[in-house]
Amino acid sequence: MKFVIAIIKPFKLDEVRDALSSLDVHGLTVTEVKGYGRQKGHTEIYRGAEYAVNFLPKIKIEVAVDTAIVQQVVDAIAAAAQTGQIGDGKIFVLSLDSILRIRTGETDGDAL
Amino acid sequence: MKFVIAIIKPFKLDEVRDALSSLDVHGLTVTEVKGYGRQKGHTEIYRGAEYAVNFLPKIKIEVAVDTAIVQQVVDAIAAAAQTGQIGDGKIFVLSLDSILRIRTGETDGDAL
Amino acid sequence: MKFVIAIIKPFKLDEVRDALSSLDVHGLTVTEVKGYGRQKGHTEIYRGAEYAVNFLPKIKIEVAVDTAIVQQVVDAIAAAAQTGQIGDGKIFVLSLDSILRIRTGETDGDAL
Amino acid sequence: MLLRYFKKLPILASLVALSPGAAFAQATEAATPNKGDTAWMLMSTVLVFFMILPGIGLFYGGMVRAKNMLSVLTQIMVVACVVCLLWIVYGYSLAFTAGGDFKEFIGDFSKLFLIGVSPASTTADGGLPEYVFICFQMTFAMLTPTLIVGSFAERMRFPAVLLFSILWFTFVYIPIAHMVWGGGLLAEWGALDFAGGTVVHINAGIAGLVGCLLVGKRIGFGKELIAPHSLTMTMIGGAMLWFGWFGFNAGSALKADGGAGLAMINTFVATAAAGLAWLLAEWILKGHPSMLGLVSGAIAGLVAVTPAAGFAGPMGSIVLGLLAGVVCFVFCSTIKNAFGYDDTLDVFGIHGVGGIIGAIATGIVVAPALGGTGLATGEYVMATQVWIQTKAVLVSLLWTGIGSLILFKLVGIFTPLRASSEEEREGLDLAEHGERAYNY
Amino acid sequence: MLLRYFKKLPILASLVALSPGAAFAQATEAATPNKGDTAWMLMSTVLVFFMILPGIGLFYGGMVRAKNMLSVLTQIMVVACVVCLLWIVYGYSLAFTAGGDFKEFIGDFSKLFLIGVSPASTTADGGLPEYVFICFQMTFAMLTPTLIVGSFAERMRFPAVLLFSILWFTFVYIPIAHMVWGGGLLAEWGALDFAGGTVVHINAGIAGLVGCLLVGKRIGFGKELIAPHSLTMTMIGGAMLWFGWFGFNAGSALKADGGAGLAMINTFVATAAAGLAWLLAEWILKGHPSMLGLVSGAIAGLVAVTPAAGFAGPMGSIVLGLLAGVVCFVFCSTIKNAFGYDDTLDVFGIHGVGGIIGAIATGIVVAPALGGTGLATGEYVMATQVWIQTKAVLVSLLWTGIGSLILFKLVGIFTPLRASSEEEREGLDLAEHGERAYNY
Amino acid sequence: MLLRYFKKLPILASLVALSPGAAFAQATEAATPNKGDTAWMLMSTVLVFFMILPGIGLFYGGMVRAKNMLSVLTQIMVVACVVCLLWIVYGYSLAFTAGGDFKEFIGDFSKLFLIGVSPASTTADGGLPEYVFICFQMTFAMLTPTLIVGSFAERMRFPAVLLFSILWFTFVYIPIAHMVWGGGLLAEWGALDFAGGTVVHINAGIAGLVGCLLVGKRIGFGKELIAPHSLTMTMIGGAMLWFGWFGFNAGSALKADGGAGLAMINTFVATAAAGLAWLLAEWILKGHPSMLGLVSGAIAGLVAVTPAAGFAGPMGSIVLGLLAGVVCFVFCSTIKNAFGYDDTLDVFGIHGVGGIIGAIATGIVVAPALGGTGLATGEYVMATQVWIQTKAVLVSLLWTGIGSLILFKLVGIFTPLRASSEEEREGLDLAEHGERAYNY
Ligand SMILES: Nc1ncnc2c1ncn2[C@@H]1O[C@H](COP(=O)(O)OP(=O)(O)O)[C@@H](O)[C@H]1O
Ligand SMILES: Nc1ncnc2c1ncn2[C@@H]1O[C@H](COP(=O)(O)OP(=O)(O)O)[C@@H](O)[C@H]1O
Ligand SMILES: Nc1ncnc2c1ncn2[C@@H]1O[C@H](COP(=O)(O)OP(=O)(O)O)[C@@H](O)[C@H]1O
């Protein structure tokens, strides 16, 4: 099993979720994060003070999947989240030792 | 060492923390997240516009533990977080290469 | 490749980012989290009700790096985030299977 | 004292203790209202309206959790709107007409639907256009039941709140208003209540206490952190209450004169004193001077000075404020905990307790020797007056306590009072109103 | 009805239907304004100001997404400030002087820069200091164009809003104000508009509709969740609108008397009725009684009662309110969706629709048989009056509809109306104003 | 000009420049206050109160970080409450009685605890009930020290703020108020200050400057992003300030007449002009028209027009507003940065700088040739009047600057002025008040 972490642009969330649904992946967890990277931020001015803000709002999606479909999942996310402009984000894949569904106690593949 | 990630219902946080304390696990990190899964969301109506909201508030707990007690930890979390109803959440276990306590420079087991 | 997760004190974020920049690490993702640990919380009183609040605001930094520089990165973060007082936080290192840059499709080292 | 409207009761009226500045004029129907008085009363009406919305809405709403914010706001606004309509349908008539066989307790139906009232109508003494007086009184009627919702907030169901409020307004508020202001029982006794400490605050405080006892504690009460979601909103609401209360108290002079000025200065100083008293008591006893304490104390002071606003001197009001601030602090932070009931927003601890302190103390601070105005008619004897005040408090305690209990039980027959635990956890905003207050 | 200012038109003026309480006094220049009236009008002016800021700012702002909050607030405040200055430069003169060859449509330049006005000047009938009257009217002029910005909020560019508002104020608002209040066409016809239902609400509603049709839908409209970022703010703003509207309506009596009292009570009950009507309709048809519905209904009621406030009786106002609440609910929740246009904050659905209902229904509820005041001069015939009201609505529909269309097109020549999709996604706050509303 | 209270100084009073509309009436004690005037002053008092809370509380509070919100609100409310009590204990007496040997600088103790004041007492000319006048003045006294807290916000300790405010009110505010309004030095000179530009704004601005210099910069100032936590709150507060300022300025006419109307229209147009001026200057020079700039400019305009409100004509006020908007913008965005001090909320940059511009310019815009009212007594000579105005500014600069310096030092002996860096990082809300403003 793999743990996929994707950092994407916020307005792409719905499209990514739909893309995952069409792969029969029906569970995921979303966090609002701030991203720092190549994408240029903006300047905010409050009275005399000017600030360059480099942390931009991003959405982090975490989704656990079977190893068998991890490539498909990564591709689907990438396709849905891409705009072609700097700041589209990254997808990280980690290995997962185990999964447990709290409600039923099912584990690993059954827990997805 | 293992890195345990648990997604739970928000009102279960205090019980889970207590369960972990009784295992002598005294550190954890908590994030407010939104979960998408089998659990049905709700509908919000604002004037003419109706929206089906499928992202539900969840709490993500991250806790690093010694491999020796990881099963106990997972079981304790699961026991404390369970309501038996859809949406209770998942527990993911990942392997951890190293841990460092910033304050002292202690590493791995000593850093917990 | 490694996935470094650092929990730090919020006001240390800028220093940590600068330290990473000087290692030529120019991408990272930041989340506001609550930490529970040795550091003592505070008491809040609202009319008759007194609450001991043990979850303290922390910043979680996630940064994916080449294995070659992971030690440097961890050291840099630790050095920048340290105050020497309880609650300075932890750094966790996990192994990363793969990285993808959504915009270009570049993978792994190229995606950083 | 509020120079309320006694069209057919000139003799009775003259027996009632009046504010010294208020010449009762034995119903000289011909008089044209002074436009300065009218301007002030139009404005005072608007100020009291502001106490309800946004005032009490924010003061209360800020203290609940974000998931119940809209529930509190909706309950307050719906109750105010319903009472607004009922007031012109039957409320004004039943509260402010002379009444028949039970005239000690209730008026009559002669002004249902405001029959016979026109822009040219005036109050009995010709002091104000009748429409203006009706509006001013209406805001008091709208405000009072909204105060109650604070006690069972975060768990009582919307339909139950709605039904209860209609019944309570009809069977508790109207009779008490008639007894105090409409020439009924307490007016006959000579009880002093300048701006409605008994009718509004004791009344609401007791009903709230009964309500929260019947509905039970919130899930997690005493265990989880149930912190106010926005003390900023509570401060805004509290400040708006103070602002509007100048209309409530100084407007109750029904005139734009030095008597209104006295009520205004008392509304300043008693409030300031009570806010500081709570803050200092908390600082000394709990270690922190909190903003919530400061604002809570200020509201306690406003409640306490309400019946006394036109009778006390400024120094008397300061003492009254200090007393109310300290006592309400001790009550809300210690005594309430000892009893262990869950009055969400301390409706009883502030409006009930503060109202009782104010009602009884009014009998003291009115003393000319203490800088008060004395009585308009008859000689002032402190023990006598305090006893009259105490009796009036007891009457309203009983009437409201028993009445509210019956009405809650009655409502419970038709619709459950309390939300399911699942709804309570999700929050009433989503569960009952299908909305969320915030989407940042 | 607003006893507006007809310095040189005493004969014409007497033809205009007046509020019964308002004695027109044939321009007795010598009279000194009554200070009670003046006090009330000073206060009413301040109340109407409060409707703009924070009132409409929060009511609107709460409903947009957090990333566009400052954009809405800035647009409202800038437009209000610009119109404030233009009003004393030429607005007052063009709206409230007699006019020349086109006097049915516009006044003249005799009071540019308020030439000749001093603290001693009064309105023609001596009822008010002229400065006070100018200020009161100014707040209406400031408010109206700010209402429009709700329809194209979250996507129209700031420079375009600014330019459009200046032009619209000049070529649409001023002529309509002159036609209704300045002795122009609609006044001649005898159209009743107590406090500005036509001038303010229909006017703004139509302009908004034109605007949102031209600018197009927001990105994601109908697909993504576009939820109000703070219904708390919307409630605060809505309550402040109601609060300020007492100055708007009861202030339009221009006197502190029983007529103002009537306008005030109507402003209470119609609003309460409309809020409850929307809430109940929604509860029955959609399953949830929402706070947003309650507040929206209240605003619809305020809009609808505006032209009728001094003419209807309280029971007539309740019926008017119920009607406005239900119709506006159906419009905003069903009819709008059927058409599929994106009027962000339902400027047309509430101000346009509610304004039209109110304008026409005023011809009915004024009927003495229905508890209304009847006409000041001439005999009341319902069919006749309803027809006059309808004609007045049609004139302003046409004038505003065509005028706004031309002006939007004109502005589009000089500067793009709509933000780029990137700016829209980022939010106008950062993109246009370089700020963020919230940093928690 | 404020027709302040000169009970025993009829001759002196007649020397003072008065607002043309204000007949001074040589202390005809017998006169009964006009109820229209009284109604307006009751209302103005309430409006000025609203400037403090929620007004300045939200305007300031919105600009600090969320972790210091309650600290700002608590400081403002506590200071206002304390001054409220001190005002009736000794403030009113020392500021508004004739005084003895030092009568140029301070009054006397003859009205300590408001001895001798009753609902029947009036001001010397019989214009107002004395209680109403006391209340109106009290709100000015309460407001002024709350303005100061903005300069050292987010780092000064609560006990230090409290102690400083008590001392400052006593040794700085009261003497200046006496000098300007109580028949003291500046009044004798004939300095014009209609509604308190010197007493309130210059006074607070200088004290703030001294305070922030002594307390030092915030941690992270100039390095970290220190963004306002809620510009929405700042807008609400700013709008409420404007709203309340109508009571401040038009109320300072002490009458409901055309003079109040003039002050009101000036309070509209100067503010609008200044807001637009700041916004445009920022748009041109910094690239973005910001909402914070718009609101800041409006406040600068309000400050600047305060001393001139009853003297200038509307066009003069517009020019004054434009000037204040641009100068304060340049000061806050450039000059301040050059000096590098940390005046958290620009108390000096707006109240100090705007106040000085206004005070001096009042000597110009009062010119009849520029549409102003001219002087009530004596002939107007621009150079003379400007010099008088400048001298008055200098006196208050010195008095306040030196006084504040001494008092801060004195307070520092008893309790540390500044929070520890740990407390500052955690935020004063938790560290000092044990509460958090928000729990979403
Ligand atoms: N090394 C990294 N580790 C973790 N997150 C990263 C890293 N690099 C980039 N990110 C995340 O990816 C987002 C996009 O990266 P950025 O460099 O701006 O654009 P792009 O992905 O197009 O190269 C960043 O905002 C950040 O949240
Ligand atoms: N594949 C997944 N990857 C990551 N998080 C998941 C995944 N599936 C479910 N979750 C998280 O677990 C929560 C509960 O899942 P859900 O399917 O609703 O109920 P249950 O756990 O009872 O089957 C979701 O809201 C989501 O946050
Ligand atoms: N076992 C753990 N797993 C995950 N996070 C932890 C763990 N222990 C501590 N933390 C995080 O590190 C933060 C600091 O830990 P704490 O024990 O308070 O101080 P220190 O790091 O100085 O020992 C905590 O607030 C928490 O967020």
Side-chain angles (χ1 to χ4, degrees), chain B residues 3 13 17 21 26-31 60 62 64 94-104 111-112, chain C residues 2 5 7 31 33-38 54-55 60 78 82 84-86 88-95:
Chain B
F3 196 72
L13 175 57
R17 193 195 48 188
S21 290
H26 291 294
L28 50 88
T29 301
V30 164
T31 316
K60 178 165 82 169
E62 290 169 308
L94 290 82
S95 288
L96 204 47
D97 288 9
S98 73
I99 309 180
L100 177 92
R101 187 196 303 275
I102 293 174
R103 170 167 49 96
T104 57
L112 286 178
Chain C
K2 296 291 176 187
I5 301 177
I7 313 289
T31 315
V33 298
K34 302 265 174 206
Y36 176 78
R38 275 185 188 72
N54 297 311
F55 288 99
K60 178 166 81 169
Q82 198 178 36
Q85 304 206 293
I86 294 188
D88 274 355
K90 317 271 181 200
I91 304 176
F92 306 111
V93 179
L94 289 83
S95 289

Side-chain angles (χ1 to χ4, degrees), chain D residues 232-253:
Chain D
T232 301
M233 289 295 162
T234 296
M235 168 56 105
I236 301 176
M240 287 173 169
L241 283 172
W242 194 351
F243 170 72
W245 222 297
F246 291 116
F248 195 96
N249 283 357
S252 288

Side-chain angles (χ1 to χ4, degrees), chain B residues 21-95:
Chain B
S21 290
S22 64
L23 289 179
D24 249 8
V25 174
H26 291 294
L28 50 88
T29 301
V30 164
T31 316
E32 291 179 12
V33 299
K34 301 264 175 207
Y36 177 78
R38 275 184 188 73
Q39 187 185 1
K40 203 164 75 45
H42 55 261
T43 304
E44 295 178 19
I45 312 186
Y46 300 103
R47 290 218 182 130
E50 253 177 272
Y51 302 103
V53 174
N54 297 310
F55 287 99
L56 299 170
K58 299 280 170 191
I59 287 283
K60 178 165 82 169
I61 297 176
E62 290 169 308
V63 52
V65 295
D66 262 335
T67 310
I69 60 163
V70 69
Q71 196 53 48
Q72 272 171 284
V73 163
V74 168
D75 291 347
I77 296 176
Q82 198 179 34
T83 69
Q85 304 207 293
I86 293 187
D88 274 353
K90 318 270 183 202
I91 304 176
F92 306 113
V93 179
L94 290 82
S95 288

